[in-house]
């Protein structure tokens, strides 16, 4: 469908050069929705409908987060993205001593299926796509979600969404790991196998470069190390006896969008091209859906500033535009006040409105891959691809992503780049508006959203009631069955689901697995 510009001139859905040289270039690029997907994974991209607009939200109790989700849906959010607090991410209950002071702070506290039920109360899970940022205990939260859906009468086959489930980047950049790499990879493969037949529309992993970027990775490092992790996951699943085309179409990725718009667009295009060739040529995938690199994008939290926070509105708009021009499948735009505290209702709504302006007021959705054929973007795409492939080869020479992690390679490379950025910023060579240039003598006061510290006590009371009300013997039997599966070769998700159904807590389930698999203790490898 052809749209018109503000001047009444036609905007074609797809453009391609007509000269002989141009036809050669077009042949190299390929068509949108076709191998190697440089120009996007779908033929029509946003000309048919815009990307999924997600807002990453979750704080305090399940009751509070549920209210925020309902408000976001009412304002036009088309997908939910759940943030969990640190104790949940690390597999601890809210009343565990190690959880003290962190309950509900950076996300919602979910200790059992009871909390998950409250979190999605009144939200029809057959009509909402849900992404969950959870990694080491990803299987637990996925199964709780499925249990709540069953209570709603929604079959698992209708559930759509993503569980992050990317443990390798935890060892590289984030640190919320629980188990050592080998059993962690086994758990990832078990999720792949479980969802293949039980939850066929669910994206079983979101292989994340975002957190590497937040730790200081360059765009090249971000996609190189992320795709190297992706290769490791594919190898793990194949080694577990799965056919690549049985699980690869449900793989997804998660990248950052920075303010350096041109390089970000080139990065997304290069990543698609690399992954398509890896999957087709190295793994022999036959299904074109297995070649597609589908990804979610979040604007760059690390580039938000506490100084003059309203300027972040501009940064987020530019970053969101970079993600859209780069062909993202879904997008979260950060709130302008996130460098200070949790977003308020108003700032979260403004972040969503930013996406809606991009989708409905600009003309970037009128045509597929607007930058195709741009001299600078095509050259930058080639340059980013070559540099990323060179870095991926270094990882392969070490024996793959896990072997490189054990040597501390990715972490050291990212830290070196982060140090370079910090030095350039401190020296004023890298401009940060409002921080090292155009600063104010005094900042205007801003009242942030604060989490009630009483939440920790409330969650502890809920846990005490749960343990008193449930069938303790049934929980013990279920946890014993889970440990037996973990010690053997059976898929651990079915017994894990029964333990959660019996109202075992996150801490109890992860504790049972720790007994069998142990806990990961990082070593100073360099």
């Amino acid at each position: 469908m052809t749209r018109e510009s503000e001047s009444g001139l036609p905007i074609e859905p797809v453009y391609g050069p007509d000269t002989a040289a141009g036809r050669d270039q077009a042949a190299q690029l390929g068509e949108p929705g076709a191998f190697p997907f440089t120009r996007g994974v779908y033929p029509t991209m946003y000309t048919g409908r815009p990307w999924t607009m997600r807002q990453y939200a979750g704080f305090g109790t399940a009751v509070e987060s549920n209210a925020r989700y309902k408000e976001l849906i009412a304002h036009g959010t088309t997908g939910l993205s759940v943030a969990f607090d640190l104790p949940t991410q690390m597999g601890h209950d809210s009343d565990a001593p190690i959880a003290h002071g962190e309950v509900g702070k950076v996300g919602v506290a979910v200790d059992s299926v009871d909390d998950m039920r409250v979190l999605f109360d009144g939200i029809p899970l057959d009509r909402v796509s849900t992404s969950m940022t959870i990694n080491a205990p990803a299987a637990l939260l996925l199964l709780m979600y499925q249990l709540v859906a069953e209570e709603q009468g929604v079959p698992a086959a209708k559930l759509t969404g993503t569980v992050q489930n990317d443990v390798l980047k935890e060892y590289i950049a984030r640190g919320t790991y629980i188990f050592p790499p080998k059993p962690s990879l086994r758990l990832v493969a078990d999720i792949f196998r479980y969802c293949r037949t039980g939850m066929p529309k669910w994206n079983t992993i979101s292989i994340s470069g975002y957190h590497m970027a937040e730790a200081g990775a360059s765009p090249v490092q971000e996609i190189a190390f992320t795709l190297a992790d992706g290769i490791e996951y594919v190898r793990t699943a194949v080694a577990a006896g799965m056919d690549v085309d049985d699980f690869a179409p449900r793989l997804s990725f998660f990248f950052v969008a920075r303010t350096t718009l041109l390089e970000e667009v080139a990065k997304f295009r290069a990543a698609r091209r690399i992954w398509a060739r890896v999957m087709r040529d190295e793994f022999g995938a036959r299904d074109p859906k297995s070649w597609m690199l589908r990804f979610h994008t979040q604007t760059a939290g690390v580039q938000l500033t506490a100084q003059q926070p309203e300027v972040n509105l501009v940064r987020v708009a530019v970053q969101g535009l970079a993600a859209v021009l780069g062909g993202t499948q879904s997008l979260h735009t950060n709130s302008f006040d996130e460098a200070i505290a949790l977003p308020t209702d108003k700032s979260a709504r403004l972040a969503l409105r930013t996406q809606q302006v991009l989708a409905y007021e600009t003309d970037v959705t009128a045509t597929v891959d607007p930058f195709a054929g741009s001299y600078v973007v095509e050259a930058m795409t080639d340059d980013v691809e070559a540099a990323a492939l060179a870095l991926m080869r270094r990882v392969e020479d070490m024996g793959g992503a896990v072997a490189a992690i054990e040597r501390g390679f990715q972490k050291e490379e990212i830290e070196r780049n982060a140090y370079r950025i910090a030095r350039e910023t401190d020296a004023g060579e890298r401009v940060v508006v409002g921080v090292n240039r155009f600063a104010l003598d005094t900042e205007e006061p801003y009242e942030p959203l604060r989490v009630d510290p009483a939440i920790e006590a409330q969650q502890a009371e809920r846990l005490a009631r749960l343990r008193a009300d449930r069938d303790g013997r049934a929980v013990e039997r279920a946890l014993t069955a889970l440990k037996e599966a973990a010690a053997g070769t059976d898929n651990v998700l079915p017994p894990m689901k029964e333990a959660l159904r019996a109202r075992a807590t996150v801490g109890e389930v992860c504790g049972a697995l720790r007994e069998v698999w142990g806990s990961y203790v990082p070593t100073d490898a360099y």
Side-chain angles (χ1 to χ4, degrees), residues 453-521:
I455 286 171
E456 187 170 329
Q458 293 169 11
Q459 283 297 111
E461 290 173 8
R462 283 178 59 81
L463 281 165
R465 288 196 301 271
L466 177 144
R467 293 182 181 120
D469 294 344
R470 70 189 183 183
D471 183 341
R473 290 184 178 179
V475 172
E476 286 301 318
R477 287 195 298 271
L479 291 175
T480 298
L482 173 62
K483 286 187 280 189
E484 290 173 353
T489 58
D490 290 345
N491 192 318
V492 299
L493 268 71
M496 185 185 292
K497 183 180 180 183
E498 293 311 307
L500 294 168
R501 192 196 304 276
R503 301 171 75 197
T505 68
V506 168
E508 290 166 345
V509 173
C510 289
L513 293 176
R514 284 186 181 97
E515 288 183 33
V516 180
W517 292 342
S519 299
Y520 177 71
V521 179

Side-chain angles (χ1 to χ4, degrees), residues 47-131:
T47 61
R49 66 178 181 88
W51 57 93
T52 299
M53 298 181 193
R54 296 191 186 277
Q55 285 305 107
Y56 185 52
F59 63 96
T61 65
V63 172
E64 293 171 290
S65 294
N66 175 263
R68 174 66 65 86
Y69 295 157
K70 287 177 178 175
E71 181 175 354
L72 288 170
I73 291 170
H75 287 296
T77 294
T78 52
L80 298 176
S81 187
V82 183
F84 297 96
D85 70 358
L86 281 176
T88 305
Q89 293 180 47
M90 299 291 289
H92 298 293
D93 290 333
S94 294
D95 59 356
I98 197 173
H100 179 61
E102 292 294 340
V103 177
K105 288 292 179 67
V106 299
V108 61
V110 175
D111 292 313
S112 71
V113 70
D114 291 16
D115 290 327
M116 187 67 85
R117 185 181 301 114
V118 173
L119 188 62
F120 290 100
D121 180 55
I123 297 174
L125 300 187
D126 56 343
R127 299 200 297 271
V128 171
S129 172
T130 302
S131 173

Side-chain angles (χ1 to χ4, degrees), residues 247-274:
F247 65 87
R250 302 316 306 174
L251 302 179
S252 65
F253 291 79
F254 175 23
F255 296 117
V256 77
R258 303 170 179 81
T259 51
T260 45
L261 186 147
L262 296 179
E263 186 176 18
E264 291 301 286
V265 172
K267 176 191 77 178
F268 296 133
R269 301 170 90 248
R272 278 194 296 268
R273 199 153 70 194
I274 294 171

Side-chain angles (χ1 to χ4, degrees), residues 154-184:
V154 178
K158 287 190 176 181
L159 295 177
T160 60
T162 303
V163 66
Q164 192 162 98
N165 193 29
D166 177 6
V167 290
L168 292 181
K169 64 96 172 48
E170 300 297 329
Y171 307 114
I172 295 171
R174 194 158 176 265
T176 59
Y177 39 69
I178 299 177
F179 315 113
K182 187 175 180 180
S184 294

Side-chain angles (χ1 to χ4, degrees), residues 212-292:
M212 299 183 204
E214 293 286 282
S218 69
V220 166
Q221 289 173 334
E222 178 192 355
I223 64 169
F225 294 148
T226 303
L227 298 184
D229 285 353
I231 290 170
E232 193 79 43
Y233 291 127
V234 173
R235 286 174 177 159
T236 298
V238 170
M242 298 182 69
D243 184 273
V244 66
D245 287 317
D246 285 341
F247 65 87
R250 302 316 306 174
L251 302 179
S252 65
F253 291 79
F254 175 23
F255 296 117
V256 77
R258 303 170 179 81
T259 51
T260 45
L261 186 147
L262 296 179
E263 186 176 18
E264 291 301 286
V265 172
K267 176 191 77 178
F268 296 133
R269 301 170 90 248
R272 278 194 296 268
R273 199 153 70 194
I274 294 171
W275 189 248
R277 289 170 177 157
V278 165
M279 294 305 292
R280 189 189 70 171
D281 301 340
E282 294 187 27
F283 287 103
R286 300 172 302 281
D287 186 346
K289 291 181 180 178
S290 298
W291 308 335
M292 294 181 182

Side-chain angles (χ1 to χ4, degrees), residues 101 128 135 147 186 261 362 374 381 421 491 505:
V128 171
N135 295 285
L147 287 168
R186 175 207 168 162
L261 186 147
T362 75
S374 159
T381 301
I421 292 171
N491 192 318
T505 68

